[in-house]
Amino acid sequence: MNEIYLLNDWLIKEFQKNELVNTISTLPSLQIDTQLANIYPLVNLDLQDTDITESQILASYRITIVQQRDFKTSQTDNKLLTDSNYIDNVSETHSIAHKLLNKLLRDHNEWNIEITSQSTLRQLKDWSRNSLDGVQFDLELAIPNQGTIC
């Protein structure tokens, strides 16, 4: 197995371990919400680009984590205008991202995968055609260059 395969496999397995995640995809970011059969929360790993140095392989990802927004049709006496589950969605998707980032920042893994850079978590509000909420961030990971090829 080469290093890019190992990076993808490791990320997928980490998200599979998370009980909040229902679906994992590896599509271009613009194609995430095209499947009507998606079960949310959904995590999408979009490999953007890679770089090879003598000592490591770098891979840049755009990670999108989304949950479907539900709207309440009944009126409530609540002073807080909560006609949807937006706050729940933001909390849930942020938690999924938080767990992955903590794993990378605090724990050693068998492949010595490390974060070399990360963006802030951008909030997605009523995003795409299925009214999705969530977070999206860019993440660059490094893995030692073992010289393996397919």
Side-chain angles (χ1 to χ4, degrees), residues 43-63:
V43 173
N44 188 70
L45 307 172
D46 185 359
L47 179 62
Q48 301 284 299
D49 54 68
T50 60
D51 189 18
I52 301 170
T53 69
E54 186 177 341
S55 62
Q56 60 188 358
I57 307 290
L58 301 166
S60 298
Y61 291 87
R62 173 153 295 153
I63 298 177

PDB file of all heavy atoms in Angstrom, residues 43-63:
ATOM      1  N   VAL A  43     -19.838  12.677   6.170  1.00  0.00           N
ATOM      2  CA  VAL A  43     -18.485  13.223   6.122  1.00  0.00           C
ATOM      3  C   VAL A  43     -17.958  12.986   4.719  1.00  0.00           C
ATOM      4  O   VAL A  43     -18.023  11.861   4.211  1.00  0.00           O
ATOM      5  CB  VAL A  43     -17.558  12.537   7.149  1.00  0.00           C
ATOM      6  CG1 VAL A  43     -16.115  12.998   6.969  1.00  0.00           C
ATOM      7  CG2 VAL A  43     -18.033  12.783   8.568  1.00  0.00           C
ATOM      8  N   ASN A  44     -17.451  14.041   4.098  1.00  0.00           N
ATOM      9  CA  ASN A  44     -16.858  13.906   2.772  1.00  0.00           C
ATOM     10  C   ASN A  44     -15.381  14.282   2.828  1.00  0.00           C
ATOM     11  O   ASN A  44     -15.011  15.322   3.368  1.00  0.00           O
ATOM     12  CB  ASN A  44     -17.576  14.800   1.761  1.00  0.00           C
ATOM     13  CG  ASN A  44     -17.086  14.523   0.357  1.00  0.00           C
ATOM     14  OD1 ASN A  44     -17.359  13.467  -0.213  1.00  0.00           O
ATOM     15  ND2 ASN A  44     -16.341  15.448  -0.202  1.00  0.00           N
ATOM     16  N   LEU A  45     -14.553  13.404   2.267  1.00  0.00           N
ATOM     17  CA  LEU A  45     -13.115  13.630   2.181  1.00  0.00           C
ATOM     18  C   LEU A  45     -12.770  13.911   0.732  1.00  0.00           C
ATOM     19  O   LEU A  45     -12.847  13.027  -0.112  1.00  0.00           O
ATOM     20  CB  LEU A  45     -12.354  12.384   2.649  1.00  0.00           C
ATOM     21  CG  LEU A  45     -12.727  11.841   4.020  1.00  0.00           C
ATOM     22  CD1 LEU A  45     -12.053  10.507   4.267  1.00  0.00           C
ATOM     23  CD2 LEU A  45     -12.376  12.840   5.093  1.00  0.00           C
ATOM     24  N   ASP A  46     -12.402  15.142   0.446  1.00  0.00           N
ATOM     25  CA  ASP A  46     -12.061  15.552  -0.912  1.00  0.00           C
ATOM     26  C   ASP A  46     -10.556  15.801  -0.964  1.00  0.00           C
ATOM     27  O   ASP A  46     -10.068  16.828  -0.480  1.00  0.00           O
ATOM     28  CB  ASP A  46     -12.843  16.822  -1.274  1.00  0.00           C
ATOM     29  CG  ASP A  46     -12.646  17.273  -2.713  1.00  0.00           C
ATOM     30  OD1 ASP A  46     -11.882  16.618  -3.457  1.00  0.00           O
ATOM     31  OD2 ASP A  46     -13.253  18.286  -3.083  1.00  0.00           O
ATOM     32  N   LEU A  47      -9.817  14.840  -1.540  1.00  0.00           N
ATOM     33  CA  LEU A  47      -8.371  14.981  -1.684  1.00  0.00           C
ATOM     34  C   LEU A  47      -8.099  16.062  -2.717  1.00  0.00           C
ATOM     35  O   LEU A  47      -8.492  15.934  -3.878  1.00  0.00           O
ATOM     36  CB  LEU A  47      -7.751  13.645  -2.112  1.00  0.00           C
ATOM     37  CG  LEU A  47      -6.241  13.631  -2.325  1.00  0.00           C
ATOM     38  CD1 LEU A  47      -5.496  13.968  -1.033  1.00  0.00           C
ATOM     39  CD2 LEU A  47      -5.799  12.273  -2.847  1.00  0.00           C
ATOM     40  N   GLN A  48      -7.448  17.145  -2.288  1.00  0.00           N
ATOM     41  CA  GLN A  48      -7.222  18.302  -3.151  1.00  0.00           C
ATOM     42  C   GLN A  48      -5.925  18.182  -3.951  1.00  0.00           C
ATOM     43  O   GLN A  48      -5.929  18.363  -5.155  1.00  0.00           O
ATOM     44  CB  GLN A  48      -7.179  19.581  -2.319  1.00  0.00           C
ATOM     45  CG  GLN A  48      -8.445  19.848  -1.533  1.00  0.00           C
ATOM     46  CD  GLN A  48      -9.565  20.358  -2.407  1.00  0.00           C
ATOM     47  OE1 GLN A  48      -9.447  21.400  -3.018  1.00  0.00           O
ATOM     48  NE2 GLN A  48     -10.638  19.613  -2.471  1.00  0.00           N
ATOM     49  N   ASP A  49      -4.820  17.938  -3.261  1.00  0.00           N
ATOM     50  CA  ASP A  49      -3.535  17.798  -3.942  1.00  0.00           C
ATOM     51  C   ASP A  49      -2.534  17.112  -3.026  1.00  0.00           C
ATOM     52  O   ASP A  49      -2.781  16.951  -1.837  1.00  0.00           O
ATOM     53  CB  ASP A  49      -2.996  19.153  -4.433  1.00  0.00           C
ATOM     54  CG  ASP A  49      -2.926  20.189  -3.340  1.00  0.00           C
ATOM     55  OD1 ASP A  49      -2.107  20.030  -2.420  1.00  0.00           O
ATOM     56  OD2 ASP A  49      -3.678  21.174  -3.406  1.00  0.00           O
ATOM     57  N   THR A  50      -1.433  16.704  -3.617  1.00  0.00           N
ATOM     58  CA  THR A  50      -0.387  16.009  -2.868  1.00  0.00           C
ATOM     59  C   THR A  50       0.977  16.577  -3.251  1.00  0.00           C
ATOM     60  O   THR A  50       1.140  17.189  -4.301  1.00  0.00           O
ATOM     61  CB  THR A  50      -0.390  14.494  -3.149  1.00  0.00           C
ATOM     62  OG1 THR A  50      -0.158  14.285  -4.541  1.00  0.00           O
ATOM     63  CG2 THR A  50      -1.704  13.861  -2.752  1.00  0.00           C
ATOM     64  N   ASP A  51       1.941  16.348  -2.382  1.00  0.00           N
ATOM     65  CA  ASP A  51       3.314  16.758  -2.637  1.00  0.00           C
ATOM     66  C   ASP A  51       4.229  15.664  -2.101  1.00  0.00           C
ATOM     67  O   ASP A  51       3.941  15.061  -1.061  1.00  0.00           O
ATOM     68  CB  ASP A  51       3.599  18.097  -1.954  1.00  0.00           C
ATOM     69  CG  ASP A  51       4.932  18.700  -2.361  1.00  0.00           C
ATOM     70  OD1 ASP A  51       5.485  18.285  -3.402  1.00  0.00           O
ATOM     71  OD2 ASP A  51       5.431  19.581  -1.632  1.00  0.00           O
ATOM     72  N   ILE A  52       5.315  15.429  -2.812  1.00  0.00           N
ATOM     73  CA  ILE A  52       6.277  14.397  -2.413  1.00  0.00           C
ATOM     74  C   ILE A  52       7.612  15.061  -2.127  1.00  0.00           C
ATOM     75  O   ILE A  52       8.135  15.795  -2.964  1.00  0.00           O
ATOM     76  CB  ILE A  52       6.454  13.351  -3.531  1.00  0.00           C
ATOM     77  CG1 ILE A  52       5.121  12.693  -3.859  1.00  0.00           C
ATOM     78  CG2 ILE A  52       7.490  12.298  -3.122  1.00  0.00           C
ATOM     79  CD1 ILE A  52       5.146  11.829  -5.103  1.00  0.00           C
ATOM     80  N   THR A  53       8.112  14.832  -0.923  1.00  0.00           N
ATOM     81  CA  THR A  53       9.459  15.261  -0.592  1.00  0.00           C
ATOM     82  C   THR A  53      10.263  14.022  -0.245  1.00  0.00           C
ATOM     83  O   THR A  53       9.722  12.914  -0.170  1.00  0.00           O
ATOM     84  CB  THR A  53       9.480  16.253   0.593  1.00  0.00           C
ATOM     85  OG1 THR A  53       9.123  15.554   1.789  1.00  0.00           O
ATOM     86  CG2 THR A  53       8.525  17.421   0.363  1.00  0.00           C
ATOM     87  N   GLU A  54      11.539  14.213  -0.015  1.00  0.00           N
ATOM     88  CA  GLU A  54      12.390  13.066   0.308  1.00  0.00           C
ATOM     89  C   GLU A  54      11.967  12.379   1.591  1.00  0.00           C
ATOM     90  O   GLU A  54      12.033  11.161   1.709  1.00  0.00           O
ATOM     91  CB  GLU A  54      13.846  13.532   0.432  1.00  0.00           C
ATOM     92  CG  GLU A  54      14.816  12.392   0.615  1.00  0.00           C
ATOM     93  CD  GLU A  54      16.262  12.861   0.657  1.00  0.00           C
ATOM     94  OE1 GLU A  54      16.550  13.980   0.203  1.00  0.00           O
ATOM     95  OE2 GLU A  54      17.089  12.082   1.144  1.00  0.00           O
ATOM     96  N   SER A  55      11.468  13.161   2.548  1.00  0.00           N
ATOM     97  CA  SER A  55      11.149  12.593   3.847  1.00  0.00           C
ATOM     98  C   SER A  55       9.669  12.325   4.102  1.00  0.00           C
ATOM     99  O   SER A  55       9.330  11.539   4.979  1.00  0.00           O
ATOM    100  CB  SER A  55      11.680  13.507   4.953  1.00  0.00           C
ATOM    101  OG  SER A  55      11.043  14.764   4.879  1.00  0.00           O
ATOM    102  N   GLN A  56       8.778  12.998   3.348  1.00  0.00           N
ATOM    103  CA  GLN A  56       7.356  12.809   3.640  1.00  0.00           C
ATOM    104  C   GLN A  56       6.483  13.026   2.405  1.00  0.00           C
ATOM    105  O   GLN A  56       6.901  13.630   1.431  1.00  0.00           O
ATOM    106  CB  GLN A  56       6.900  13.724   4.775  1.00  0.00           C
ATOM    107  CG  GLN A  56       7.082  15.195   4.506  1.00  0.00           C
ATOM    108  CD  GLN A  56       6.785  16.036   5.743  1.00  0.00           C
ATOM    109  OE1 GLN A  56       6.421  15.523   6.783  1.00  0.00           O
ATOM    110  NE2 GLN A  56       6.931  17.333   5.617  1.00  0.00           N
ATOM    111  N   ILE A  57       5.284  12.518   2.523  1.00  0.00           N
ATOM    112  CA  ILE A  57       4.227  12.746   1.529  1.00  0.00           C
ATOM    113  C   ILE A  57       3.215  13.659   2.202  1.00  0.00           C
ATOM    114  O   ILE A  57       2.768  13.388   3.314  1.00  0.00           O
ATOM    115  CB  ILE A  57       3.539  11.425   1.114  1.00  0.00           C
ATOM    116  CG1 ILE A  57       4.544  10.375   0.671  1.00  0.00           C
ATOM    117  CG2 ILE A  57       2.463  11.683   0.078  1.00  0.00           C
ATOM    118  CD1 ILE A  57       5.224  10.626  -0.629  1.00  0.00           C
ATOM    119  N   LEU A  58       2.852  14.734   1.522  1.00  0.00           N
ATOM    120  CA  LEU A  58       1.864  15.677   2.029  1.00  0.00           C
ATOM    121  C   LEU A  58       0.583  15.535   1.212  1.00  0.00           C
ATOM    122  O   LEU A  58       0.641  15.433  -0.008  1.00  0.00           O
ATOM    123  CB  LEU A  58       2.374  17.108   1.928  1.00  0.00           C
ATOM    124  CG  LEU A  58       3.667  17.401   2.687  1.00  0.00           C
ATOM    125  CD1 LEU A  58       4.258  18.720   2.240  1.00  0.00           C
ATOM    126  CD2 LEU A  58       3.403  17.399   4.174  1.00  0.00           C
ATOM    127  N   ALA A  59      -0.537  15.544   1.883  1.00  0.00           N
ATOM    128  CA  ALA A  59      -1.833  15.454   1.209  1.00  0.00           C
ATOM    129  C   ALA A  59      -2.768  16.496   1.796  1.00  0.00           C
ATOM    130  O   ALA A  59      -2.922  16.586   3.014  1.00  0.00           O
ATOM    131  CB  ALA A  59      -2.424  14.062   1.368  1.00  0.00           C
ATOM    132  N   SER A  60      -3.372  17.293   0.912  1.00  0.00           N
ATOM    133  CA  SER A  60      -4.322  18.320   1.334  1.00  0.00           C
ATOM    134  C   SER A  60      -5.745  17.850   1.061  1.00  0.00           C
ATOM    135  O   SER A  60      -6.052  17.408  -0.046  1.00  0.00           O
ATOM    136  CB  SER A  60      -4.071  19.621   0.578  1.00  0.00           C
ATOM    137  OG  SER A  60      -2.790  20.111   0.870  1.00  0.00           O
ATOM    138  N   TYR A  61      -6.582  17.965   2.073  1.00  0.00           N
ATOM    139  CA  TYR A  61      -7.975  17.552   1.985  1.00  0.00           C
ATOM    140  C   TYR A  61      -8.889  18.723   2.280  1.00  0.00           C
ATOM    141  O   TYR A  61      -8.560  19.589   3.089  1.00  0.00           O
ATOM    142  CB  TYR A  61      -8.292  16.472   3.037  1.00  0.00           C
ATOM    143  CG  TYR A  61      -7.633  15.154   2.793  1.00  0.00           C
ATOM    144  CD1 TYR A  61      -6.354  14.890   3.274  1.00  0.00           C
ATOM    145  CD2 TYR A  61      -8.287  14.148   2.097  1.00  0.00           C
ATOM    146  CE1 TYR A  61      -5.753  13.667   3.065  1.00  0.00           C
ATOM    147  CE2 TYR A  61      -7.698  12.915   1.886  1.00  0.00           C
ATOM    148  CZ  TYR A  61      -6.421  12.684   2.374  1.00  0.00           C
ATOM    149  OH  TYR A  61      -5.835  11.470   2.167  1.00  0.00           O
ATOM    150  N   ARG A  62     -10.064  18.719   1.665  1.00  0.00           N
ATOM    151  CA  ARG A  62     -11.175  19.562   2.096  1.00  0.00           C
ATOM    152  C   ARG A  62     -12.164  18.591   2.727  1.00  0.00           C
ATOM    153  O   ARG A  62     -12.688  17.688   2.064  1.00  0.00           O
ATOM    154  CB  ARG A  62     -11.809  20.308   0.934  1.00  0.00           C
ATOM    155  CG  ARG A  62     -13.072  21.048   1.374  1.00  0.00           C
ATOM    156  CD  ARG A  62     -13.386  22.243   0.563  1.00  0.00           C
ATOM    157  NE  ARG A  62     -12.313  23.229   0.751  1.00  0.00           N
ATOM    158  CZ  ARG A  62     -11.995  24.134  -0.163  1.00  0.00           C
ATOM    159  NH1 ARG A  62     -12.632  24.169  -1.299  1.00  0.00           N
ATOM    160  NH2 ARG A  62     -11.035  24.997   0.072  1.00  0.00           N
ATOM    161  N   ILE A  63     -12.390  18.769   4.009  1.00  0.00           N
ATOM    162  CA  ILE A  63     -13.286  17.886   4.747  1.00  0.00           C
ATOM    163  C   ILE A  63     -14.581  18.641   5.026  1.00  0.00           C
ATOM    164  O   ILE A  63     -14.567  19.733   5.580  1.00  0.00           O
ATOM    165  CB  ILE A  63     -12.637  17.386   6.047  1.00  0.00           C
ATOM    166  CG1 ILE A  63     -11.378  16.571   5.701  1.00  0.00           C
ATOM    167  CG2 ILE A  63     -13.630  16.567   6.867  1.00  0.00           C
ATOM    168  CD1 ILE A  63     -10.606  16.067   6.886  1.00  0.00           C
TER     169      ILE A  63
END
